[in-house]
């Protein structure tokens, strides 16, 4: 097999394994718009990093984490709904990023590559980052797992039972921000949330416990990545969208099964 | 006896609307304290303050150090996207004795079901089972029998009373259904943002503040229940022959 394809599969597969369990929480806790907002805002980090001549991915991570912290604070005020705040942030940051990009005549960024992902540009360093960083993120999620599941069921109950609810909530937001930052490179800013949400949704009908759904989402994600990349290879279609199309097809297939009761 | 939970002069306002005003109560081991009051009286808020889920603006909230609390919230809304079997739900509170806990609350048959598919009464029983699995020293129950059928309500209150009497569990509970609660409870706190009156159920049910709050009809039906007078006394105190009307089930002469 071509080394390019092996590298792309290694990166995409690793990403799908990480995205699965996080995607479940995005679905359970209705964080899809939060993920979207982080991805959109990340363009700002990309532009800034390029302008200052530092590694673009670093700028993306810094902005995503900063945005997660800021949004966690803003959520506590009650004047505007969270969805409104996220909308303002997401599109504001995306627009500022695009305007700033147009003003920087000397800088060239592969905008299409960032918006829709460019798996062919993946280096072995990126693959290593995904697998090592992903393992770290999954380990952190595993540590927070009991608290996060308990507070998804009922936050008051989790607090009475002495679980560190506030820390877990912040931890999840930061980890999702990191997953989004890492996933952007593969599927692109506009499709990042799809990789989180769709495999998890596809796994829902087959699961009786949160853990089964997380495992199912990992499997569905890997299948979608493999199928999408294969199709992209043969049909010469863009890789990120092809992966998402494959995931949507899996989801549609899964919905023909009756929900487990 | 030392108190497991003490509230003293607790006040709380939401956006300048006082919800609790100078509320005080105390729950000791083996005692059942019941909070009654109309809608909007601040009953659920009081429980949340007692549990430390809401901070009080003023006053003192003290739980005994290291006390294990079992809590049954008024409602539990599990997102439909979260697959959650009753077994998994219970396992969050303890890994052993899930079946026993469910049997105790009369819901042994639902262990394999999904939480979202339970009826209101079944869910209420499952939540109580989860609270019991923690082997609590203090039980805080917000309308624990909501949605449970009449026979089941009596069973659950018997269970709660047994937990207090036999296992020395302190119980703080909120209830609308005064009838069933009165029989088992040690102290009633009648709440309408402030404590209108508090004390032994019989005394509270005759208290003018209580009568004013619930109206004479509710209060009267309650008094009849707590002292179910199905007979008359003669002048010397002996029981008169009851004016009995035979029903279809009667087997006596």
């Amino acid at each position: 097999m071509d080394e390019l394809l092996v590298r792309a599969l290694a990166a995409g597969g690793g990403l799908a394994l990480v995205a699965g369990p996080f995607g479940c929480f995005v679905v359970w806790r209705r964080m899809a718009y939060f993920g979207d907002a982080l991805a959109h805002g990340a363009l700002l980090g990309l532009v800034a990093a390029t302008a200052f001549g530092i590694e673009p991915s670093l700028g993306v991570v810094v902005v995503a984490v900063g945005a997660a912290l800021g949004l966690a604070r803003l959520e506590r005020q009650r004047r505007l709904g969270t969805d409104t705040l996220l909308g303002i942030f997401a599109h504001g940051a995306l627009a500022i990023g695009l305007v700033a990009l147009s003003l920087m005549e000397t800088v060239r960024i592969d905008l299409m590559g960032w918006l829709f992902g460019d798996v062919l540009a993946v280096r072995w360093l990126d693959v290593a980052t995904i697998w090592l960083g992903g393992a770290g993120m999954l380990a952190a999620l595993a540590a927070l797992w009991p608290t996060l599941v308990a507070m998804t069921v009922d936050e008051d109950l989790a607090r009475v039972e002495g679980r560190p609810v506030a820390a877990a909530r912040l931890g999840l937001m930061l980890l999702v921000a990191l997953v989004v930052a890492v996933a952007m490179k593969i599927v692109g800013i506009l499709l990042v949330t799809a990789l989180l949400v769709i495999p998890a949704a596809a796994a829902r009908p087959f699961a009786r416990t949160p853990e089964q759904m997380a495992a199912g989402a990992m499997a569905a994600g890997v299948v979608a990545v493999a199928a999408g990349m294969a199709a992209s290879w043969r049909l010469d279609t863009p890789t990120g969208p092809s992966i998402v199309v494959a995931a949507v097809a899996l989801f549609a297939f899964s919905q023909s099964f009756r929900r487990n009761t | 006896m030392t108190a497991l939970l003490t509230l003293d002069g607790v006040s709380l306002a939401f956006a300048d609307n006082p919800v609790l005003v100078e509320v005080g109560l105390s729950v000791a081991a083996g005692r059942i304290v019941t909070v009654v009051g109309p809608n909007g009286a601040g009953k659920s808020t009081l429980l949340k303050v007692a549990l430390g889920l809401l901070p009080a603006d003023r006053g003192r909230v003290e739980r005994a150090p290291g006390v294990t609390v079992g809590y049954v919230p008024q409602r539990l809304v599990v997102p439909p996207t979260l697959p959650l079997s009753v077994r998994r739900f219970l396992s969050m509170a303890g890994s052993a004795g899930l079946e026993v806990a469910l049997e105790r609350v009369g819901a042994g048959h639902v262990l394999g079901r999904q939480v979202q598919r339970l009826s209101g009464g079944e869910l209420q029983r499952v939540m109580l089972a989860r609270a019991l699995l923690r082997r609590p020293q203090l039980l805080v129950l917000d309308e624990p029998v909501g949605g449970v059928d009449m026979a089941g309500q009596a069973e659950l209150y018997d269970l709660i009373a047994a937990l207090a009497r036999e296992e020395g569990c302190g119980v703080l509970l909120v209830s609308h259904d005064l009838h069933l609660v009165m029989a088992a409870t040690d102290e009633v706190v009648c709440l309408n943002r402030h404590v209108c009156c508090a004390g032994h159920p019989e005394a509270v049910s005759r208290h003018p503040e209580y009568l004013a709050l619930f109206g004479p009809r509710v209060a009267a039906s309650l008094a009849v229940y707590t002292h179910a007078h199905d007979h008359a006394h003669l002048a010397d105190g002996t029981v008169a022959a009851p004016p009995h009307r035979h029903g279809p089930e009667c087997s006596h002469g």
Side-chain angles (χ1 to χ4, degrees):
Chain A
M1 224 188 316
D2 198 292
E3 194 203 323
L4 193 68
L5 187 58
V6 173
R7 213 160 48 197
L9 271 174
L15 188 60
L17 291 176
V18 178
F22 282 101
C24 290
F25 276 109
V26 172
V27 168
W28 297 332
R29 299 183 63 79
R30 298 167 179 269
M31 292 168 74
Y33 210 21
F34 172 76
D36 246 4
L38 291 182
H40 284 58
L43 184 72
L44 196 55
L46 180 67
V47 173
T50 312
F52 293 118
I54 52 175
E55 166 72 27
S57 303
L58 197 64
V60 168
V61 168
V62 168
V63 167
V65 167
L69 288 171
L71 289 170
R73 272 188 78 90
L74 275 177
E75 259 190 350
R76 268 180 255 151
Q77 63 85 34
R78 308 265 160 164
R79 263 174 299 158
L80 289 173
T82 307
D83 55 339
T84 307
L85 279 174
L86 289 173
I88 292 169
F89 170 76
H91 301 113
L94 183 65
I96 293 170
L98 290 171
V99 167
L101 189 60
S102 73
L103 292 176
M104 301 191 309
E105 285 163 15
T106 55
V107 184
R108 281 189 57 232
I109 288 182
D110 174 17
L111 189 60
M112 285 301 278
W114 280 99
L115 288 180
F116 297 105
D118 186 3
V119 83
L120 302 183
V122 169
R123 301 156 296 174
W124 278 116
L125 177 68
D126 298 315
V127 175
T129 309
I130 287 172
W131 281 85
L132 289 177
M137 286 186 253
L138 284 182
L141 182 65
L144 297 177
W145 189 269
T147 301
L148 286 170
V149 171
M151 65 195 267
T152 302
V153 172
D154 190 277
E155 205 164 307
D156 281 349
L157 213 47
R159 282 174 67 187
V160 170
E161 293 178 357
R163 299 179 189 274
V165 167
R169 185 192 297 115
L170 186 62
L172 180 65
M173 288 176 99
L174 290 177
L175 287 168
V176 168
L178 288 175
V179 172
V180 165
V182 173
M184 269 177 57
K185 188 125 189 176
I186 310 291
V187 286
I189 288 170
L190 297 181
L191 298 175
V192 141
T193 313
L195 199 62
L196 287 165
V197 168
I198 302 174
R204 173 65 185 95
F206 306 100
R208 298 181 53 79
T209 63
E211 292 73 22
Q212 287 174 6
M213 183 158 149
M218 289 166 103
V222 169
V223 170
V225 164
M229 282 188 177
S232 159
W233 194 256
R234 297 206 164 210
L235 307 174
D236 195 23
T237 49
T239 314
S242 303
I243 292 171
V244 174
V245 169
V248 169
L250 264 183
F251 169 74
F253 176 67
S254 76
Q255 294 308 295
S256 60
F257 291 84
R258 207 167 57 86
R259 177 171 282 191
N260 234 324
T261 53
Chain B
M1 200 182 294
T2 53
L4 295 170
L5 170 72
T6 307
L7 272 68
D8 189 18
V10 167
S11 297
L12 178 64
F14 292 145
D16 294 334
N17 287 322
V19 182
L20 297 173
V21 181
E22 298 284 323
V23 175
L25 61 80
S26 169
V27 183
R31 303 276 290 176
I32 301 179
V33 176
T34 302
V35 179
V36 298
N39 290 334
K43 303 186 294 292
S44 294
T45 306
L46 177 64
L47 291 198
K48 288 190 177 180
V49 170
L51 289 164
L53 294 172
L54 282 174
D57 292 340
R58 273 183 294 115
R60 192 168 58 91
V61 179
E62 266 177 27
R63 287 177 298 280
V67 68
T68 308
V69 182
Y71 173 45
V72 175
Q74 191 171 17
R75 288 193 314 153
L76 185 75
V77 184
V78 179
T81 48
L82 181 71
L84 190 67
S85 61
V86 170
R87 182 189 299 276
R88 181 68 181 83
F89 176 73
L90 292 176
S91 74
M92 291 178 202
S95 51
L98 305 186
E99 288 89 350
V100 179
L102 268 189
E103 289 295 342
R104 260 182 114 177
V105 299
H109 57 290
V110 302
L111 191 61
R113 299 251 295 274
Q114 289 282 295
V115 168
Q116 291 93 340
R117 299 293 176 102
L118 299 177
S119 74
E122 286 169 338
L123 181 59
Q124 214 65 41
R125 291 166 190 260
V126 168
M127 285 199 287
L128 187 57
R130 172 161 161 174
L132 297 185
L133 275 170
R134 288 173 49 76
R135 308 197 161 280
Q137 294 152 290
L138 176 65
L139 264 179
V140 178
L141 313 169
D142 198 348
E143 308 248 5
V145 300
V148 177
D149 52 64
M150 285 300 274
Q153 289 187 8
E155 271 172 41
L156 288 184
Y157 278 124
D158 284 347
L159 172 64
I160 292 165
L163 287 167
R165 307 285 176 260
E166 288 153 28
E167 298 179 25
C169 197
V171 181
L172 175 62
L173 79 89
V174 157
S175 184
H176 275 309
D177 33 287
L178 312 166
H179 292 65
L180 281 153
V181 172
M182 285 293 184
T185 203
D186 295 301
E187 188 185 349
V188 175
V189 175
C190 180
L191 186 76
N192 192 14
R193 297 188 186 173
H194 63 285
V195 176
C196 294
C197 49
H200 192 270
E202 289 259 356
V204 167
S205 65
R206 290 198 205 92
H207 197 282
E209 287 248 28
Y210 177 86
L211 295 173
L213 199 56
F214 284 101
R217 276 188 57 191
V218 175
S221 66
L222 183 72
V224 168
Y225 186 85
T226 52
H227 188 168
H229 232 77
D230 62 351
H231 56 271
H233 296 277
L234 296 176
D236 63 358
T238 56
V239 175
H244 184 71
R245 187 172 293 152
H246 289 289
E249 311 291 327
C250 276
S251 56
H252 56 85

